[in-house]
Amino acid sequence: MAEKQQNPHMELDPKYDHYDFPTTAPEPRPGHPGHTTKEQDAAVHQLRMMLEQAGYTERLDTLTMLRFLRARKFNVEHSKQMFVDCEKWRKEFGGGVDNLVRTFQYTEKPQMFAYYPQYYHKTDKDGRPLYIEQFGKIDLEKMRQITSDERMLQNLVVEYEKVADPRLPACSRKAGYLLETSCTIMDMKGVGLSKAGQVYGYVQKASAISQNYYPERMGKMYIINAPWGFSSVFAVVKRFLDPVTVAKIHVLGGSYQKELLAQIPAENLPSEFGGKCKCPGGCQLSDDGPWQDPNFAKPAKWEQPQSIPATESHTGEGQPATGETKPATQEQPAGQTAPAAQ
């Protein structure tokens, strides 16, 4: 039927959609930008209208609406609740996520990386940011002598925000098509029974943030050096996961280089994982990628002056915001990374 045909051009809203990067997804997957049906376009308009009526004025751009709708199988009511919950969390976490991303300074980062390396580094063959976490060195007691659990999670959230802007827009400009997800490597080398509780406990907290507040951000995930028994555990866990999510996760043992190099250019993959990259000073702290290239990088929208303080932009569902907000000029989702981002 005609109404079921995919829409070749994403319907933009001039009030919220002011993108300066490509907005069409490279693959014609249902519900993705540039590949939506008329019914899905209508769901975007309905969700935005419902949120506006509830007093929300920020993060109502089309790309964000589509991510929340995909996360809830285009059930508009469920998507609305997810967005409302997300905005509540954004207002409360770390004194407000919008302010946190502008002011947070993780000065202890070099010390922390001795116990928990987690960093973005270049891109995979699809042009997505590459995110790497190494769990084998985790020592929570030593880490807590350097920082607090609260600051660790705040750093995680700030990095999620930086993925949305400036990393993904820069990657999209370089690729010539829309990129909304990251490629993740989770290195489990050295994770034995003694560390399993520490590692999985943190992963659970990080995963809750990514799944609930940063939907549709995981492109591919490679779990390498998986310890004995992990595959069996995952085989049970994946029964409760969405098949779309399961298809993105690859559990590998110690012979992972061939599969990684099929997805990640050797010159972009750090040498310790079988690649050829050896950044001066180490790949962990380089933050190298298109977001550092002046040909593709632009200042993040959160770095620009705001028309009103972030804390005044929304007072809660059913309570319209005070003052007049500046229209969103960039997708700033309601909060990689990190593990298990949906």
Side-chain angles (χ1 to χ4, degrees):
M1 297 176 63
E3 66 271 22
K4 294 291 185 180
Q5 294 299 310
Q6 289 186 338
N7 179 20
H9 302 289
M10 187 171 74
E11 295 183 4
L12 298 178
D13 186 306
K15 183 177 179 180
Y16 299 107
D17 298 334
H18 300 266
Y19 305 117
D20 57 5
F21 53 87
T23 57
T24 299
E27 298 178 5
R29 290 185 291 169
H32 286 255
H35 310 288
T36 53
T37 63
K38 293 297 182 183
E39 290 82 359
Q40 290 168 338
D41 291 337
V44 169
H45 296 308
Q46 182 183 0
L47 175 59
R48 182 184 288 125
M49 180 182 67
M50 292 168 65
L51 291 169
E52 286 180 328
Q53 291 175 346
Y56 293 91
T57 60
E58 295 184 279
R59 288 171 283 278
L60 300 183
D61 64 281
T62 301
L63 295 179
T64 299
M65 295 293 91
L66 280 172
R67 288 194 302 105
F68 277 82
L69 284 163
R70 290 199 303 273
R72 291 297 179 263
K73 307 300 183 186
F74 277 84
N75 182 306
V76 177
E77 285 291 345
H78 292 174
S79 301
K80 177 195 173 186
Q81 189 59 54
M82 185 183 192
F83 186 93
V84 168
D85 292 344
C86 185
E87 288 296 300
K88 181 176 185 294
W89 170 82
R90 286 183 69 88
K91 186 177 179 181
E92 297 172 350
F93 183 86
V97 172
D98 291 329
N99 184 61
L100 184 68
V101 70
R102 297 187 186 102
T103 60
F104 184 80
Q105 298 292 325
Y106 202 45
T107 54
E108 63 269 42
K109 182 176 180 177
Q111 292 175 278
M112 284 295 296
F113 274 25
Y115 301 108
Y116 185 16
Q118 46 180 161
Y119 57 99
Y120 288 87
H121 181 267
K122 300 188 177 181
T123 59
D124 70 0
K125 290 184 178 180
D126 293 316
R128 294 176 293 210
L130 178 62
Y131 178 74
I132 299 171
E133 291 198 9
Q134 295 175 267
F135 296 110
K137 299 179 180 179
I138 284 184
D139 188 322
L140 283 183
E141 292 307 313
K142 291 183 179 179
M143 290 160 65
R144 285 168 179 157
Q145 293 175 15
I146 300 170
T147 193
S148 64
D149 288 12
E150 181 182 19
R151 281 183 60 79
M152 288 170 57
L153 288 175
Q154 288 177 351
N155 175 64
L156 179 75
V157 167
V158 167
E159 290 300 317
Y160 279 139
E161 292 292 305
K162 290 180 179 179
V163 168
D165 189 10
R167 290 189 179 107
L168 284 171
C171 290
S172 297
R173 294 182 197 109
K174 182 175 182 179
Y177 48 76
L178 177 66
L179 292 166
E180 297 186 283
T181 61
S182 299
C183 178
T184 299
I185 297 175
M186 292 176 60
D187 183 11
M188 306 295 283
K189 185 177 181 179
V191 178
L193 292 177
S194 61
K195 291 185 178 180
Q198 293 185 8
V199 171
Y200 297 147
Y202 177 83
V203 169
Q204 186 175 21
K205 291 180 182 178
S207 297
I209 289 176
S210 63
Q211 292 181 60
N212 295 333
Y213 310 127
Y214 295 90
E216 293 287 305
R217 284 302 191 203
M218 184 172 77
K220 290 192 181 220
M221 176 182 288
Y222 295 91
I223 301 175
I224 64 173
N225 291 310
W228 182 87
F230 184 88
S231 295
S232 298
V233 172
F234 183 71
V236 175
V237 171
K238 70 180 183 182
R239 298 176 190 171
F240 304 97
L241 298 176
D242 187 287
V244 176
T245 299
V246 172
K248 299 176 181 179
I249 302 174
H250 307 267
V251 180
L252 309 173
S255 301
Y256 57 81
Q257 286 85 358
K258 182 177 180 180
E259 192 157 350
L260 278 191
L261 289 170
Q263 181 64 33
I264 304 163
E267 60 271 22
N268 289 0
L269 185 65
S271 58
E272 65 180 304
F273 301 112
K276 298 179 180 179
C277 188
K278 295 182 179 180
C279 292
C283 295
Q284 296 178 359
L285 298 174
S286 71
D287 194 30
D288 193 15
W291 50 92
Q292 300 287 3
D293 187 334
N295 293 313
F296 310 110
K298 293 186 179 182
K301 296 301 184 289
W302 49 261
E303 295 178 287
Q304 300 177 9
Q306 302 297 299
S307 57
I308 60 173
T311 55
E312 295 179 10
S313 63
H314 177 252
T315 55
E317 184 174 6
Q319 303 176 38
T322 59
E324 185 176 349
T325 57
K326 181 179 179 181
T329 56
Q330 165 67 37
E331 181 194 18
Q332 295 184 18
Q336 170 176 33
T337 147
Q342 297 300 301

